[in-house]
Amino acid sequence: MPNAAVVVTGAAAGIGQASVELFAERGFGVVAVDVSKEGLDAFAGREDIVTLAGDVADPGTNDAAVALAIEHFGRLDAAVLNAGIGGAPPIEAPGAIESLDQIYAVNVRGVVLGIRSAAPALRAAGGGSIVVTSSGAGLRGDPYTWAYNTTKAAAINLVRAAALDYACENIRINAIAPGLTATPRTAGQRANPDLNATLTRRVPLGRWSQAREQAEVIWFLASPAASYITGTVIPVDGGILASTGILLAPTYRGEPPQ
């Protein structure tokens, strides 16, 4: 039996799937949670991975995930609250507020519920770590994604505030803010040559990240290596947030290009 356990939400694809695989590789028992039962089928037959199909906006899903960790692995040491959705029409468009409510339910309410459900089990284990997947969009504005940006910003300040509340119990709460990441959700953007080139030009490192690279930072924050880190957000964005928006050609070194 694994000697540590983690709950990962939004586990069926992208950063969540990469996190499930990484934690399992490194000896954790994993409870993988996602709304997509079909996506979770990829983990079928694994003794070190238990799956749960459910919506993180439902308190019952979060409670059930923690209960599965205790039932199958005897404890809970970490929670990766990664589930998230986007997509909303312009603010004045029909259905905009309904879309905001739906996105908020997953991206903010789902994180609150995840913390609420995980905290008692982490407390019983003597402490632990919660890592939230926010976004670079929670630290800056982007066109046409007002609802997503709003909820990801809320998740970051939730992490800061909750980290203060739980620090005395040795429960650390942090977030990552991914930049452009190659996942199934971004496949359409990457398949559009013009859009892909425009987006990639914004990245000082000159490429999209892989989901595994994001999962490695989640792993770090959940691990003893980050034992003195709480209440912070780490951008994992290839340098996007380091820039004012002005990026010059790699050959430019202080002399105006000819």
Side-chain angles (χ1 to χ4, degrees):
M1 176 183 292
N3 57 12
V6 61
V7 168
V8 179
T9 68
I15 295 170
Q17 183 182 52
S19 297
V20 170
E21 294 168 350
L22 181 59
F23 275 82
E25 285 173 18
R26 295 179 180 172
F28 272 65
V30 183
V31 178
V33 183
D34 203 281
V35 291
S36 171
K37 183 182 183 302
E38 294 75 15
L40 292 171
D41 287 345
F43 304 124
R46 296 279 300 268
E47 292 186 0
D48 54 348
I49 301 173
V50 179
T51 62
L52 173 66
D55 184 350
V56 297
D58 178 359
T61 297
N62 294 276
D63 288 345
V66 173
L68 281 172
I70 303 300
E71 176 187 348
H72 286 268
F73 308 118
R75 59 187 293 129
L76 183 69
D77 300 273
V80 177
L81 307 180
N82 168 76
I85 60 173
I91 290 177
E92 297 180 46
I97 302 307
E98 291 78 6
S99 293
L100 173 63
D101 291 342
Q102 182 182 19
I103 296 167
Y104 186 94
V106 175
N107 294 2
V108 182
R109 174 183 165 89
V111 175
V112 173
L113 293 173
I115 294 171
R116 180 184 173 92
S117 295
L122 296 176
R123 185 183 300 121
S129 175
I130 297 172
V131 185
V132 175
T133 302
S134 181
S135 172
L139 294 166
R140 296 287 191 275
D142 289 310
Y144 312 119
T145 56
W146 63 275
Y148 181 76
N149 286 53
T150 297
T151 58
K152 288 302 186 178
I156 287 172
N157 225 31
L158 168 60
V159 162
R160 293 174 178 139
L164 300 178
D165 293 343
Y166 284 97
C168 62
E169 299 182 276
N170 195 35
I171 297 173
R172 299 182 298 103
I173 307 177
N174 294 289
I176 66 166
L180 299 174
T181 305
T183 69
R185 183 173 293 171
T186 61
Q189 295 171 316
R190 289 178 286 116
N192 181 319
D194 292 337
L195 179 59
N196 184 38
T198 298
L199 294 174
T200 303
R201 276 196 297 270
R202 295 178 56 207
V203 186
L205 287 183
R207 62 178 179 83
W208 292 58
S209 78
Q210 297 300 309
R212 176 82 176 207
E213 293 176 295
Q214 303 292 335
E216 287 282 6
V217 183
I218 290 172
W219 167 264
F220 163 70
L221 288 172
S223 76
S227 59
Y228 202 58
I229 299 176
T230 196
T232 195
V233 54
I234 298 181
V236 192
D237 65 356
I240 291 175
L241 290 171
S243 168
T244 63
I246 301 173
L247 294 178
L248 301 177
T251 55
Y252 178 66
R253 292 294 184 271
E255 294 297 327
Q258 300 300 315

